[in-house]
Amino acid sequence: MKKSAPTPRLSGARWRRMVREQWSDAARAWDHWEPFNLQFLSAVDPVLLRALDLKPGQRILDFGSGTGEPALQIARWIGPRGAVLGLDVAAPMVEVARRRARLLGIRNARFRRGDIVRIPARTKYDRVSSRFGLMFADDVPVALEHVRAALKPGGRAAFSVWGPIPLNPAIGQAAAAVRSFAKVPPPDPEQSPHPMRLARPGLLPRLMRAAGFRDVRAELAPCYASYPDADTYVTIMLDIAAPIKAIYESLSAANRRRVRERLRRGAQRYRSGHALRIPGLAWVVSGRR
Ligand SMILES: C[S@@+](CC[C@H](N)C(=O)[O-])C[C@H]1O[C@@H](n2cnc3c(N)ncnc32)[C@H](O)[C@@H]1O
């Protein structure tokens, strides 16, 4: 069988610009679909927060904070003597996070635009977290080195990333559907900013150990996405999953209709009572400096 050519890797600058643009573009959808994300993504929070082993009064860095989670949860957990800095490359995401902090009356969380590999090394943190953010860094080993350098000795980092593709059909089906209609095959998920970039079992623990983290642990955190019906699943998924949305929007109108139809049909098997519940599984990987 003829082997397909390896995907050329994007340069760091192109990668970073693409990530910033895609997520800035997706911020409107993340604002609009907040109730959905609070149900779907927040399911990993108990495992993520337990792995962080938070203590009142700590100083925390959360990167890839998007519209403010889990930074806002953590800020409430550590109490008013603690402080959280939420960092995100997409300015429109930061705006939403600030608005949500004001509505919740949270004063110990600040949000600013920034890249995890560009954080000033002078401030040291007790904990560093990221919920579904690490897989979009252009160079994960370098990002992990920066995280480790930002930690106080003995400080902990914990990340959630999506688990194996077959166990995450909501995202897996959408990625496969847009891929099959794209003119140019999209790059390999492990070589591009993709939700499934760190899905392979053992990959992130290995990268964390290589970056010098100790006591590295990986746990599985089950979650599921709940939708009232298949049409809502299709609309949300093609709106919030930034890299998938970018490919979908490059398709012709006819192919967009085909993608939607394929997803609608694929989703029917997840009917559960009066809703559609599509299972998902995340890794929560943590380690100590
Ligand atoms: C899937 S969203 C997760 C948002 C949020 N943590 C949540 O779980 O609701 C990923 C976020 O990571 C941000 N991001 C991507 N690369 C980043 C980087 N190198 N440094 C900081 N933020 C980044 C994106 O802009 C996006 O808002």
Side-chain angles (χ1 to χ4, degrees), residues 14 46 82 88 114 145 204 210 257 268:
R14 242 190 95 200
D88 200 283
E145 277 169 25
L204 182 53
R257 267 197 306 280
Q268 295 300 350

Side-chain angles (χ1 to χ4, degrees), residues 107-187:
R107 289 160 189 249
N108 60 337
R110 282 185 306 127
F111 292 93
R112 69 174 163 80
R113 192 162 76 81
D115 192 308
I116 184 58
V117 298
R118 299 236 157 85
I119 42 167
R122 56 183 185 277
T123 315
K124 298 288 178 199
Y125 297 89
D126 298 291
R127 303 287 185 261
V128 178
S129 60
S130 188
R131 193 178 85 178
F132 303 116
L134 183 62
M135 51 276 227
F136 302 107
D138 62 311
D139 190 325
V140 173
V142 169
L144 289 172
E145 277 169 25
H146 276 76
V147 168
R148 192 173 170 280
L151 282 168
K152 295 177 185 171
R156 299 189 70 80
F159 312 104
S160 69
V161 299
W162 290 113
I165 299 178
L167 302 177
N168 283 294
I171 307 168
Q173 282 187 11
V178 295
R179 194 179 324 118
S180 60
F181 290 106
K183 268 204 207 107
V184 182

